[in-house]
Amino acid sequence: MSFNTFGRVFRFTTWGESHGPALGAVIDGCPPGLSLSEADIQPFLDKRRPGTSRFTTQRQEPDQVRILSGVFEGRTTGTPISLMIENVDQRSKDYSNVALAYRPGHADYAYDAKYGFRDYRGGGRSSARETAARVAAGAVARLVIPEVKIRAWVEAIGGDAIDPANFDPDQIDANPFFCPDAAAAARWEMRVDGARKAGSSLGAVIACEASGVPAGWGAPLYAKLDAELAAACMSINAVKGIEIGDGFDAAKLRGEENADAMRPGQNGPEFLANHAGGIAGGIATGQPIRLRVAFKPTSSILTPVETIDRNGEATEIATKGRHDPCVGIRGAPVVEAMVALVLADQKLLHRAQCG
Amino acid sequence: MSFNTFGRVFRFTTWGESHGPALGAVIDGCPPGLSLSEADIQPFLDKRRPGTSRFTTQRQEPDQVRILSGVFEGRTTGTPISLMIENVDQRSKDYSNVALAYRPGHADYAYDAKYGFRDYRGGGRSSARETAARVAAGAVARLVIPEVKIRAWVEAIGGDAIDPANFDPDQIDANPFFCPDAAAAARWEMRVDGARKAGSSLGAVIACEASGVPAGWGAPLYAKLDAELAAACMSINAVKGIEIGDGFDAAKLRGEENADAMRPGQNGPEFLANHAGGIAGGIATGQPIRLRVAFKPTSSILTPVETIDRNGEATEIATKGRHDPCVGIRGAPVVEAMVALVLADQKLLHRAQCG
Amino acid sequence: MSFNTFGRVFRFTTWGESHGPALGAVIDGCPPGLSLSEADIQPFLDKRRPGTSRFTTQRQEPDQVRILSGVFEGRTTGTPISLMIENVDQRSKDYSNVALAYRPGHADYAYDAKYGFRDYRGGGRSSARETAARVAAGAVARLVIPEVKIRAWVEAIGGDAIDPANFDPDQIDANPFFCPDAAAAARWEMRVDGARKAGSSLGAVIACEASGVPAGWGAPLYAKLDAELAAACMSINAVKGIEIGDGFDAAKLRGEENADAMRPGQNGPEFLANHAGGIAGGIATGQPIRLRVAFKPTSSILTPVETIDRNGEATEIATKGRHDPCVGIRGAPVVEAMVALVLADQKLLHRAQCG
Amino acid sequence: MSFNTFGRVFRFTTWGESHGPALGAVIDGCPPGLSLSEADIQPFLDKRRPGTSRFTTQRQEPDQVRILSGVFEGRTTGTPISLMIENVDQRSKDYSNVALAYRPGHADYAYDAKYGFRDYRGGGRSSARETAARVAAGAVARLVIPEVKIRAWVEAIGGDAIDPANFDPDQIDANPFFCPDAAAAARWEMRVDGARKAGSSLGAVIACEASGVPAGWGAPLYAKLDAELAAACMSINAVKGIEIGDGFDAAKLRGEENADAMRPGQNGPEFLANHAGGIAGGIATGQPIRLRVAFKPTSSILTPVETIDRNGEATEIATKGRHDPCVGIRGAPVVEAMVALVLADQKLLHRAQCG
C-alpha cells in the first residue's frame, strides 16, 4: 500500500490541500454496474460540511462534488472513479502567522522534520478538510455494501457522556451534535458554545455500529477486520484511540463474563451477548460491529501557547482564523465513511478468496 | 497488502498452524549487511515462550528458531529471510471436543462461516502460537532500528493497575508478569493463580514505549505511524483496543490542557508535555512514542458455556487442554515485536521518499 | 497493487475516459522539495499530442495540464500530486455505430464480457488518450531521476526499419516520426500517408535507451528492473511484445557471443559489450538500458470487418471517426514516460532498502 | 508488491538461496477447500528437475517438497500455505573461484553494486534453483484454475526452430527437450551435446498456450493480463524478451491483416483469427492465450572470459562446476508455472470486482 492509498481491492487515494484549488479522491476496484451520480454522494458531504452551525468551524464551503470518470449512463463502469470537490473559501491570510511558528499539537513541526518544508496554509494536507474527500469516497463504498447499515453518533463531548437509557436513534440527525440523547444535546450546546467563546476546544468520543455484515468478512491476522477498522479510524485527524466491542473494559472482565454464548437461531446462531463487538479472530461473526473512537480536542485554540519558530527560537502562538471548538462532532460522518470503505474492501476480498 | 503480509518496504509474512509441523516468517526488504544469527532472535522467543511459569499456558515448546535463507557469513544479504520454528508439543487429542462445537469468543464460528471448514486443533491459525513467528520477525526488525529502544510492560491485570509512583523499569524482567511495580506483581500472582485454578481467565492492559524515534518517521494519513501501530497491535490475538498517548483520556481534556508546548532545545525542540504520545499528524515528533493495548480475557475457560455445534444444535462447551489464564502477560513481547516491525518499515519508507 | 495503480514507492494512479470531461493522474510518494510547475510537464504532453500532423489522429486536443495539489511555492510537498487534463474535442457522434457492435482487435468484446457493459465512446478507458495522463506523470518522475537520460525513437514502421548506419539522434525531433534516420523518415511519410488514405493502419517498433542509471537499481526476481519495464511497456495500448537488450536475438547466440566481458575502468568496470541491455539478474549494471517495444497496427480501420453485435448476431463494422494510421508513432513519448516512472520507483526502492 | 512477492490476491513469496539449506514458497490468498497434497506438486518439480538427462545440469537434487501449513485433512484451509524443498547437492567448492571475480552476464557485479556483498555460491538467489519454488507454487495455482489447460514447449534452441507442420503435442513429454517436433528433437540432441562438450551454451525460445480462460479475466491497464504475464515471465532467470500473440510480427502487419474478425458462435463469438493471442485491452477474449519467451544462453561457460575482480583488477574467469548448456529447456515448466500463478491471481481479482 502506498502512502495515501487505502484498501486492497476496493481502493481509494485522496489528494488535495486545505488551501489548494480542490480536493479529490480516486476510487479503484469498484464493481461495475452500480447506479451512481453526484446525488448519491452530496448528502453525505452536506452532513459533514463546515459552517452549518455555530458549533463548528465558520468556514463556508459548499463542498460540491463532481464525478469526472468511472460512470457512464448513470452506472459505474468498473474503471477508476475520480471525484473532485473545489475549495472556495480559503482565507489564506488567516494563517500568515503560522508560516514561521509551529502550532503545538499540530503536525507542523513533524512535517518540517520530515519534508524540510510544508504548505502551512490551513494545515495543508493535515487539515480536516481532507476528510471531505474521504466522505465522498465513503458514499461510493456504501453502494457496494447495500446489505449493511452504518450509523455513527457522538457519545461524549469533553467527558460529558450520553445516558444509554435515553438513547433514541431518531435524535441523531435532529441536533447539531449527532447526539442520540436529547438531554445531552442540550447540555452540549452550552459546553461547546462556552468553549468556542473562550477560544478553547473539547474532545469527543464517537461510537459507530455497522449491522448486517454477514459472518465471514475479514481475513485472519493481517487483514483482520478489526485491525483494518483500527487503521482506518486512527488515520482520521485528531483520533487518539479506538476500541472494538468492550475495548478497554474487556480488559477488566473475567473470561466467563466476556464470553458471547450462542444458541441455535433461525439464520445462523443467536448470540447472547456481543462483548466482541461483532468480530472474532479478525472475522465478522454476523453480529453488529461496534466501535468507539476517541478524538482529542482541536489543537487550534486562541489561547497563546509556548512554542518555537522555524529558526528554533522561543515564541508564542495563538491561532487566529476559523476553527472547530470540537472536531469530534464532524468526526461522526467521517467515521461512518471509513467504516464503509473498509467493509466494501473486505466484502470484495472475501469474494475474491471464497467466492 | 495481502491477507497475511504486513508492512510496505520491510515486509513480513507469517505462516503455520498451532498444530502443524512448524511456524515461520519470511521477511522481505531487509537492508543488507546487518549482522544476524539465531542468537539475535532466540532471546526474544524465550521471553515469549509458553510453559515458563505456572501463570502461563502449560504447553512446553522449545521454540527454537532456524534461519533458512537471507543470511551469508553472518550478515543479511538483502534477499528474503526465512525463519522457521518447529512445533513439538501439540497434544491434538486435547482438542477433540471442539471439532464439532464452536467455542464462544474464539474464531471457530467465524472461520467456518468464512471458509466452510477449519483446522480446529488448538485454534489452527487463530492460535496465539502464531505470535512466535511475529516475535522472531520482530527481532530482525530491531536490527534495522538500532537507534530505537522499545520496552513494553503489563500495566494492569483484571482491572488491577500498577501504581505509577512505584514504576521501576528494572522490575519488568524480574517477575513473571513484566510488571514494573513489585507490589502489583505480588498481587497479580494471587489473582492469576486464582483465575487459573477456577478455570477462569483475566484481561490485561499492555503499555509500550519506543524512544529514540527521530522526528519525521511516518507518512501523513494512510501510512500514519499511529494508524500503522494501531493495525499492528489490533492484529494481535485478543486485542480489543488501542490508545496513542492520552488516548481516550484526551477526549476529556480541553485544548489548552492537551497542547504539547515547545521550547528551544539542544537537538530540536524541547517539549513540555507528551499528550500526543510522540506522534502528530501521523508523523513522529521525536518524543517517546507511547501506546496502550487492551487484551480481553482468554476465551478458553473450563466453565461450560452455552453454544451451538456445526449442525446448529444447542450444546455446551468447556475447553480442556492447556490454556493461558491471562494471554495479556505474554502479549508484552508481542507488542514490542509489532512496534519494532512497524518502526523498521517506517524508517525505510521515510528513507525511500525523503532520503 | 491495485487495478489502476503502478509502482511501489513512487506510485501513480490514472483516471479518466476518452470522452469524459477530463483525464488525470495522482502521483504518490514523490520526494519533497523538487521544483515542479506545469511548465515542467506541458512539453512532454505537446510532444505526444494528437492533431499535430496529418500522420496522427485528427482529434484536436490542447492537452493543457493543471497541477491541483502537492506543490507549494513551486516545490513538491511530498503529498499527493494531482494532475488534470481536460478533454475538449470529443465528437461522440462519431462513435454511434459502435455502441452495438464489437470492433475486432479492440477491447469492446472483452470489456462487455468482464463488466457487462462499457463506455463505448472513443474506446472509453481503453483509448490511447489515457496515455496523456501517463505522459504527465512521467514528466514528474523525471524530476526524481535527473541523473538519467531517457530517449525513445521509432525504429520501424510497417516492417520498414531504420538503417543503424544512418542513426542521428538530432533527427529524432526533426520529423513527425521520432525517426533518427532521415531517409527512413522520408519513406515513412509515404507509407503512413498511403495507409491513412486507404483507411488502413501500420504497426511500429519503438526503441528506448536510458543512460546514467547507476549500477544497483532494481531488486532481484519479482521487482526485477526488466520485469517492471516489461509490465510498464506491455500495459501501453497496442503493445504486443518487449525485448531487453538483444531480446529474441539473444536466443540465437552462443554463450561466449552473448557475454558482456568487463575490464577495469575509471568509475566502475568498462564493459566490452551490452547484449544484456543494461540489466543482469534484474539489477542495473550501470550500462545503458536498452529495450524495444512492438506496437500492433491500430484496430480502428475504415475497411469493414466481420464481427458480431451485442445480441450475438453477425454484422460488419467499419469505424468512422478520427484515428491514428500508426499509433506506434505517438508511442515513443509514452514509452519514455513509462521508463521514467519505473526508474523513479526503482531509485526510491533501492534507497529504501540500501540507503 | 514487495521485492519478492508476486500477485495481488493469490500471492506468493519465495525464499532460499541456491546453496542454503532449503528453498520455499509461501502462498497466500488461496481459496479454501481445494484438495492439496505433496502428490499434486511433486510431478511438476520432477519435470523441472536438474540431473534428469545429460542435456541439463548435472547437479542431482531430489527436490522433494513438503507442505508445512495451510492444509488440513487434505484440503486448503485458506490460510498461508508454506512449501519447503531442501537442497541436497550443493557442492560449494565448485564456486570457490567466483568469490572474488565477477562472472560476465551473471548478476554478480550488479549484486555487489546494490548490496555491497553477495552470497556467491552457485549464484545465491539469482540461481535458477529458485525456480523450483516457483514451480511448486505454480502447482498449487493450477488447483485454483481447473478450467484452464496450460502447456509450454520449446520452440527453438540456438536459432534452430521446430517446423509447425510437424507439431505433435504428444511429443512434448516424449523427449528431453519438451519439443513437439520429433525431427527437431533429434537435431537438438546433437546441438546441445556439442555445446555441452565445447563448454559453451545455447539460447532458446519457449512457447506457451493457455486455453479455457474465460473472456473477462484481466483488468484494464495496470493489471492487464498481458502486462502481468510479461512481468511474470521476464522475472524468470535468463529471459530477455516476451511476445503475446503475434508479438513483434504484428508490428509488420497492416490493420486489416491483424484484425481478429468475429462471427456468431455457440458459446460466445467464434473468432476467425487469433493475432491478439487471446488478450485485448488487457482482458482475456476467451481465445487461447499464446505467448513466446526468449531465453538467452547460460552465462556460465567453460571458455575463459575477460572480467574484473572485486578490487576492480583485470582477470579472467571460466566457471567450473555443473551447468546447463541450455537453461531454456527447463524454462518450459517454469513458464507454465508463472502462467498458472498469474491466471489464478487474475481469476480471483475478477471475482473480487465482478462477482
Side-chain angles (χ1 to χ4, degrees):
Chain A
M1 262 189 265
S2 166
F3 302 97
N4 291 289
T5 300
F6 201 88
R8 289 173 177 65
V9 178
F10 186 92
R11 300 173 61 103
F12 71 100
T13 302
T14 63
W15 56 267
E17 281 88 51
S18 174
H19 284 66
L23 313 161
V26 180
I27 296 157
D28 209 345
C30 183
L34 303 178
S35 172
L36 173 65
S37 74
E38 281 83 351
D40 295 301
I41 305 174
Q42 199 59 54
F44 294 100
L45 286 169
D46 294 343
K47 199 163 150 184
R48 178 213 153 274
R49 218 155 49 86
T52 47
S53 77
R54 68 177 188 277
F55 303 107
T56 60
T57 190
Q58 291 311 300
R59 179 170 169 176
Q60 296 294 338
E61 287 286 353
D63 277 351
Q64 290 298 114
V65 68
R66 285 179 63 196
I67 298 175
L68 296 177
S69 69
V71 175
F72 181 59
E73 292 178 350
R75 292 187 294 163
T76 55
T77 57
T79 57
I81 298 168
S82 178
L83 308 175
M84 189 165 79
I85 298 163
E86 298 196 56
N87 279 329
V88 169
D89 185 23
Q90 287 102 318
R91 277 202 230 171
S92 287
K93 60 186 186 302
D94 282 340
Y95 290 96
S96 52
N97 70 325
V98 310
L100 292 173
Y102 299 127
R103 296 168 294 173
H106 279 265
D108 301 351
Y109 170 69
Y111 260 74
D112 260 3
K114 182 174 186 73
Y115 292 123
F117 79 109
R118 62 190 170 95
D119 178 349
Y120 59 80
R121 302 167 299 164
R125 185 151 176 77
S126 67
S127 155
R129 271 200 59 60
E130 186 268 350
T131 58
R134 298 194 201 202
V135 167
V140 178
R142 288 171 193 263
L143 301 177
V144 181
I145 46 170
E147 62 270 61
V148 178
K149 176 178 163 179
I150 300 169
R151 183 178 61 192
W153 61 89
V154 179
E155 199 180 80
I157 287 185
D160 178 6
I162 64 174
D163 180 348
N166 286 349
F167 191 99
D168 176 2
D170 294 331
Q171 288 295 314
I172 294 175
D173 291 331
N175 58 71
F177 304 103
F178 302 110
C179 178
D181 172 355
R187 296 194 309 270
W188 293 353
E189 186 167 329
M190 290 189 300
R191 276 185 188 276
V192 178
D193 244 353
R196 186 176 55 81
K197 288 169 185 165
S200 180
S201 60
L202 300 169
V205 176
I206 303 298
C208 184
E209 182 178 278
S211 48
V213 177
W217 291 10
L221 290 152
Y222 300 113
K224 283 176 67 172
L225 187 46
D226 41 358
E228 298 281 293
L229 289 168
C233 294
M234 192 67 88
S235 78
I236 302 171
N237 222 26
V239 170
K240 282 306 197 183
I242 177 164
E243 299 182 318
I244 306 285
D246 284 11
F248 278 85
D249 283 348
K252 301 176 189 170
L253 295 177
R254 295 178 71 92
E256 56 274 19
E257 295 166 331
N258 189 252
D260 294 333
M262 288 180 271
R263 271 185 200 153
Q266 285 201 301
N267 299 315
E270 177 195 324
F271 287 84
L272 304 181
N274 190 15
H275 297 282
I279 303 174
I283 305 175
T285 59
Q287 292 224 72
I289 291 171
R290 300 188 296 112
L291 56 93
R292 292 173 75 242
V293 181
F295 281 78
K296 66 172 191 176
T298 319
S299 298
S300 296
I301 51 181
L302 303 185
T303 311
V305 181
E306 207 174 335
T307 188
I308 62 170
D309 66 15
R310 295 207 73 192
N311 302 317
E313 313 237 342
T315 183
E316 265 192 357
I317 193 166
T319 45
K320 306 191 199 8
R322 306 154 294 173
H323 303 281
D324 252 315
C326 181
V327 284
I329 297 171
R330 287 195 297 143
V334 185
V335 168
E336 285 186 6
M338 297 312 292
V339 171
L341 285 157
V342 170
L343 289 175
D345 189 41
Q346 289 282 0
K347 174 177 179 176
L348 300 188
L349 263 180
H350 176 69
R351 187 159 79 181
Q353 197 187 12
C354 304
Chain B
M1 265 190 260
S2 165
F3 302 98
N4 292 289
T5 300
F6 202 87
R8 290 173 175 66
V9 178
F10 185 91
R11 300 171 62 102
F12 71 99
T13 302
T14 63
W15 56 267
E17 280 88 51
S18 175
H19 284 68
L23 313 161
V26 180
I27 296 157
D28 209 346
C30 183
L34 304 178
S35 172
L36 173 65
S37 74
E38 282 83 351
D40 295 301
I41 305 173
Q42 198 59 52
F44 293 100
L45 285 170
D46 294 342
K47 200 163 153 183
R48 180 213 151 273
R49 219 159 43 89
T52 47
S53 76
R54 67 178 187 278
F55 303 108
T56 60
T57 189
Q58 290 311 301
R59 178 169 169 177
Q60 297 293 341
E61 287 285 353
D63 276 352
Q64 290 298 116
V65 67
R66 286 179 63 197
I67 299 174
L68 297 177
S69 71
V71 175
F72 181 60
E73 290 178 349
R75 290 186 294 163
T76 55
T77 57
T79 57
I81 299 168
S82 177
L83 308 176
M84 189 165 79
I85 299 163
E86 297 195 58
N87 279 328
V88 168
D89 187 22
Q90 289 102 318
R91 277 202 228 168
S92 288
K93 59 186 184 305
D94 282 338
Y95 291 95
S96 51
N97 70 327
V98 312
L100 292 173
Y102 299 127
R103 296 169 294 172
H106 279 264
D108 300 352
Y109 170 69
Y111 261 73
D112 260 2
K114 181 173 187 75
Y115 292 122
F117 78 110
R118 61 190 169 95
D119 177 349
Y120 59 80
R121 302 167 299 165
R125 184 150 176 80
S126 67
S127 155
R129 273 201 60 60
E130 186 268 350
T131 59
R134 299 193 201 202
V135 168
V140 179
R142 288 172 193 263
L143 301 177
V144 180
I145 46 169
E147 63 268 59
V148 178
K149 175 176 165 182
I150 301 170
R151 182 177 62 191
W153 61 90
V154 179
E155 198 179 81
I157 287 186
D160 178 7
I162 63 173
D163 180 348
N166 286 349
F167 189 99
D168 175 2
D170 295 331
Q171 289 295 313
I172 294 174
D173 291 332
N175 57 71
F177 304 104
F178 302 112
C179 179
D181 172 355
R187 296 195 309 272
W188 293 354
E189 186 167 331
M190 290 189 300
R191 277 184 187 275
V192 178
D193 243 352
R196 186 176 55 81
K197 288 171 184 163
S200 180
S201 61
L202 301 168
V205 176
I206 303 298
C208 185
E209 183 178 278
S211 49
V213 177
W217 290 10
L221 289 151
Y222 301 113
K224 281 176 70 171
L225 188 44
D226 40 1
E228 298 280 294
L229 289 169
C233 293
M234 192 68 88
S235 78
I236 302 171
N237 222 27
V239 170
K240 280 309 196 182
I242 178 164
E243 297 182 318
I244 305 285
D246 285 9
F248 278 85
D249 282 349
K252 300 176 188 167
L253 295 178
R254 295 179 70 94
E256 55 275 18
E257 296 167 327
N258 188 251
D260 294 332
M262 289 180 269
R263 270 184 200 155
Q266 287 201 304
N267 298 318
E270 177 194 329
F271 287 84
L272 305 182
N274 191 14
H275 297 283
I279 302 174
I283 305 175
T285 59
Q287 292 224 71
I289 292 171
R290 300 188 296 113
L291 55 93
R292 293 173 75 240
V293 181
F295 281 78
K296 67 173 192 178
T298 318
S299 300
S300 295
I301 51 182
L302 303 184
T303 312
V305 182
E306 205 173 338
T307 188
I308 62 170
D309 66 14
R310 295 208 73 193
N311 302 319
E313 314 237 340
T315 184
E316 265 194 355
I317 193 167
T319 44
K320 305 191 198 12
R322 304 155 295 173
H323 303 280
D324 251 314
C326 181
V327 284
I329 297 171
R330 287 194 296 141
V334 185
V335 168
E336 285 187 5
M338 296 313 291
V339 171
L341 285 158
V342 170
L343 289 175
D345 190 42
Q346 289 281 1
K347 174 176 178 177
L348 300 188
L349 263 181
H350 177 69
R351 188 159 79 180
Q353 196 186 12
C354 304
Chain C
M1 261 190 266
S2 165
F3 302 99
N4 293 288
T5 301
F6 202 89
R8 290 173 175 65
V9 177
F10 186 91
R11 300 172 60 105
F12 72 99
T13 302
T14 62
W15 57 267
E17 280 88 51
S18 174
H19 284 67
L23 313 161
V26 181
I27 296 157
D28 208 345
C30 185
L34 303 179
S35 171
L36 173 64
S37 74
E38 282 84 352
D40 295 301
I41 305 173
Q42 198 60 53
F44 294 100
L45 285 169
D46 293 342
K47 199 163 151 183
R48 180 213 151 272
R49 219 158 45 91
T52 48
S53 77
R54 69 178 187 277
F55 304 108
T56 59
T57 189
Q58 291 311 300
R59 179 170 169 176
Q60 297 294 339
E61 286 286 353
D63 277 351
Q64 289 298 115
V65 67
R66 286 178 62 195
I67 298 175
L68 297 176
S69 70
V71 175
F72 182 59
E73 292 178 350
R75 291 187 293 162
T76 54
T77 56
T79 57
I81 299 168
S82 177
L83 308 176
M84 189 165 80
I85 298 164
E86 296 194 58
N87 278 329
V88 168
D89 186 21
Q90 289 101 319
R91 276 202 231 170
S92 287
K93 60 186 184 306
D94 281 340
Y95 290 96
S96 51
N97 69 326
V98 310
L100 293 171
Y102 299 127
R103 294 169 295 173
H106 279 265
D108 301 351
Y109 171 69
Y111 262 73
D112 260 2
K114 181 172 187 76
Y115 293 123
F117 79 111
R118 61 190 169 94
D119 178 350
Y120 59 80
R121 302 167 300 166
R125 184 152 176 78
S126 67
S127 157
R129 271 201 59 62
E130 186 268 351
T131 59
R134 299 194 201 203
V135 168
V140 179
R142 287 170 194 266
L143 302 177
V144 180
I145 47 169
E147 63 269 59
V148 178
K149 176 178 163 179
I150 300 170
R151 182 178 61 193
W153 61 90
V154 178
E155 198 179 81
I157 287 185
D160 179 6
I162 63 173
D163 180 349
N166 286 350
F167 191 99
D168 175 2
D170 295 331
Q171 288 295 314
I172 294 174
D173 291 333
N175 58 71
F177 304 104
F178 302 112
C179 179
D181 172 356
R187 296 194 310 271
W188 293 354
E189 186 168 331
M190 289 189 301
R191 277 185 187 277
V192 177
D193 244 353
R196 186 177 55 82
K197 287 171 186 164
S200 180
S201 62
L202 301 169
V205 176
I206 303 299
C208 186
E209 183 179 278
S211 49
V213 177
W217 290 8
L221 289 152
Y222 301 113
K224 281 176 71 171
L225 187 45
D226 40 1
E228 298 280 294
L229 290 167
C233 294
M234 192 67 88
S235 77
I236 303 171
N237 221 27
V239 171
K240 281 307 197 183
I242 178 164
E243 298 182 319
I244 304 286
D246 284 11
F248 278 85
D249 281 349
K252 301 176 189 168
L253 296 178
R254 294 179 71 94
E256 55 275 19
E257 296 167 328
N258 189 251
D260 294 332
M262 289 180 270
R263 269 184 202 154
Q266 286 199 306
N267 299 316
E270 177 194 326
F271 287 84
L272 304 182
N274 191 14
H275 296 282
I279 303 173
I283 305 175
T285 60
Q287 291 225 72
I289 291 170
R290 301 188 296 112
L291 55 92
R292 293 173 75 240
V293 181
F295 281 77
K296 68 173 191 176
T298 320
S299 299
S300 296
I301 51 182
L302 302 184
T303 312
V305 182
E306 205 173 340
T307 188
I308 62 170
D309 66 14
R310 295 208 72 194
N311 302 320
E313 314 238 340
T315 184
E316 267 194 354
I317 194 168
T319 44
K320 308 192 194 17
R322 306 155 293 176
H323 303 280
D324 251 314
C326 180
V327 283
I329 297 172
R330 288 195 296 144
V334 184
V335 168
E336 285 186 6
M338 297 312 292
V339 171
L341 286 158
V342 169
L343 289 175
D345 189 43
Q346 289 282 1
K347 173 176 179 176
L348 300 188
L349 264 181
H350 176 70
R351 188 158 79 180
Q353 196 187 12
C354 304
Chain D
M1 266 189 261
S2 167
F3 302 97
N4 292 288
T5 301
F6 201 88
R8 290 173 175 65
V9 177
F10 186 92
R11 301 172 61 103
F12 71 100
T13 302
T14 63
W15 56 268
E17 280 88 50
S18 174
H19 284 68
L23 313 162
V26 180
I27 296 157
D28 208 348
C30 185
L34 303 178
S35 171
L36 174 65
S37 74
E38 281 83 351
D40 295 301
I41 306 174
Q42 197 60 52
F44 294 100
L45 285 170
D46 294 342
K47 198 163 153 185
R48 178 212 152 276
R49 223 161 39 90
T52 48
S53 78
R54 69 177 187 277
F55 303 107
T56 58
T57 189
Q58 291 310 300
R59 179 169 168 177
Q60 298 294 339
E61 287 287 352
D63 276 353
Q64 290 298 113
V65 68
R66 286 179 63 195
I67 299 174
L68 297 177
S69 70
V71 174
F72 180 59
E73 293 179 347
R75 291 186 294 163
T76 54
T77 56
T79 58
I81 298 168
S82 178
L83 307 176
M84 189 166 78
I85 299 163
E86 298 195 57
N87 278 329
V88 168
D89 186 23
Q90 289 101 317
R91 275 202 231 169
S92 287
K93 60 188 186 301
D94 281 339
Y95 290 96
S96 52
N97 70 326
V98 310
L100 293 173
Y102 298 127
R103 294 169 295 171
H106 279 264
D108 301 351
Y109 170 69
Y111 261 74
D112 260 2
K114 182 174 186 72
Y115 294 123
F117 78 109
R118 62 190 168 96
D119 178 349
Y120 59 80
R121 302 167 299 163
R125 182 148 177 80
S126 68
S127 157
R129 273 201 58 61
E130 186 269 351
T131 59
R134 299 193 201 202
V135 167
V140 178
R142 287 171 194 263
L143 301 177
V144 180
I145 47 169
E147 62 269 62
V148 178
K149 175 177 166 182
I150 301 169
R151 183 178 61 192
W153 61 89
V154 178
E155 199 180 79
I157 287 186
D160 179 5
I162 64 174
D163 180 348
N166 286 348
F167 190 99
D168 176 2
D170 294 330
Q171 288 294 314
I172 294 175
D173 291 331
N175 58 71
F177 304 104
F178 302 110
C179 178
D181 171 356
R187 295 194 310 269
W188 293 353
E189 188 169 329
M190 291 190 298
R191 277 185 187 277
V192 178
D193 243 356
R196 187 177 53 81
K197 287 171 186 165
S200 180
S201 60
L202 301 169
V205 176
I206 302 298
C208 186
E209 182 178 278
S211 47
V213 177
W217 290 9
L221 291 152
Y222 300 113
K224 282 177 68 171
L225 188 44
D226 40 359
E228 298 279 295
L229 289 168
C233 294
M234 192 67 88
S235 77
I236 303 171
N237 221 27
V239 170
K240 281 307 196 182
I242 178 164
E243 297 181 320
I244 304 287
D246 284 11
F248 278 85
D249 282 349
K252 301 175 189 170
L253 296 177
R254 295 179 70 94
E256 54 275 19
E257 295 166 329
N258 188 250
D260 294 333
M262 290 180 269
R263 271 186 200 152
Q266 287 200 302
N267 299 317
E270 176 195 326
F271 287 85
L272 304 183
N274 191 15
H275 296 284
I279 303 174
I283 304 174
T285 60
Q287 292 224 71
I289 291 170
R290 301 188 295 114
L291 55 91
R292 292 172 75 241
V293 181
F295 281 78
K296 66 171 192 179
T298 319
S299 298
S300 295
I301 50 180
L302 303 185
T303 312
V305 181
E306 205 173 338
T307 187
I308 61 171
D309 66 15
R310 295 208 73 193
N311 303 317
E313 315 238 338
T315 183
E316 264 191 358
I317 193 166
T319 45
K320 308 191 198 6
R322 306 152 295 171
H323 304 279
D324 251 317
C326 181
V327 285
I329 297 171
R330 287 195 296 143
V334 183
V335 169
E336 284 186 6
M338 297 313 291
V339 171
L341 285 157
V342 169
L343 288 175
D345 189 41
Q346 288 281 0
K347 175 177 179 176
L348 300 187
L349 263 180
H350 176 69
R351 187 159 78 180
Q353 197 187 12
C354 304

